[in-house]
Amino acid sequence: ALSVTAKTADGLAVCVEFRRVAFRSSLRAIADLMAPDGWMVLYRAHPLRFSLQRTLTEGQPMGQAYFDRSPFTYRSTWDQQVTLTDQPKTFSDVINAVASAGLFIERSLEPELDPDLVIQFPHKREWPDENVSDVGIRLRTPPPPPSQP
């Protein structure tokens, strides 16, 4: 078991979807483990991902699908025998959860398939061409206050 004392983690990588958990309170609990000026990388489903899938599979208008936060169940594109259920979030949901956890966004990255990997694995190109996948967000806690003389 991993044991981390509050405010001692210099860096954390969180690669989860926060499926069926309270995203905001989970982010706050993780932030409470971080040292001042600590960092974390949050890697999660892109907020547009499920609205695009709902539009294509259910015919929901894009704007309505984007704000539909009800659970979305779908078959994995990597293994059709696997069914997944996700709790969609909008960009505002994610940004507001970050802010309420006392964190700030240092950088964001929406990964693209590397051209060399497209040549090496051409069958992997189809999925990213048709789907918005994930977003990585590097977050920081505020630096420690300056020392008083």
Side-chain angles (χ1 to χ4, degrees):
L2 175 66
S3 176
V4 179
T5 305
K7 305 293 183 197
T8 60
D10 293 326
L12 298 167
V14 181
C15 300
V16 297
E17 292 292 332
F18 291 103
R19 287 184 175 102
R20 298 187 188 149
V21 299
F23 178 66
R24 191 178 291 244
S25 60
S26 296
L27 201 54
R28 175 75 255 167
I30 294 167
D32 286 343
L33 299 174
M34 297 168 60
D37 205 29
W39 60 268
M40 83 179 261
V41 175
L42 173 65
Y43 195 76
R44 60 159 292 112
H46 195 290
L48 290 176
R49 180 178 178 181
F50 302 113
S51 56
L52 289 170
Q53 284 183 307
R54 276 190 161 126
T55 296
L56 293 172
T57 61
E58 299 173 2
Q60 225 180 15
M62 183 64 174
Q64 180 185 349
Y66 179 72
F67 290 104
D68 186 347
R69 292 173 180 89
S70 64
F72 180 65
T73 300
Y74 58 98
R75 292 213 179 272
S76 168
T77 54
W78 300 101
D79 183 346
Q80 290 292 307
Q81 295 186 2
V82 175
T83 301
L84 303 168
T85 299
D86 281 286
Q87 188 71 45
K89 307 268 184 273
T90 65
F91 274 109
S92 293
D93 293 338
V94 174
I95 291 168
N96 291 335
V98 165
S100 71
L103 301 167
F104 64 90
I105 297 172
E106 183 176 76
R107 181 178 174 188
S108 180
L109 175 68
E110 297 168 298
E112 297 178 73
L113 193 58
D114 182 275
D116 292 336
L117 292 176
V118 172
I119 293 167
Q120 188 176 359
F121 304 104
H123 63 286
K124 298 282 187 184
R125 183 72 219 169
E126 184 179 313
W127 195 87
D129 279 350
E130 297 174 3
N131 296 276
V132 177
S133 181
D134 300 307
V135 61
I137 307 169
R138 184 174 166 108
L139 306 170
R140 281 213 171 269
T141 55
S147 308
Q148 297 294 332

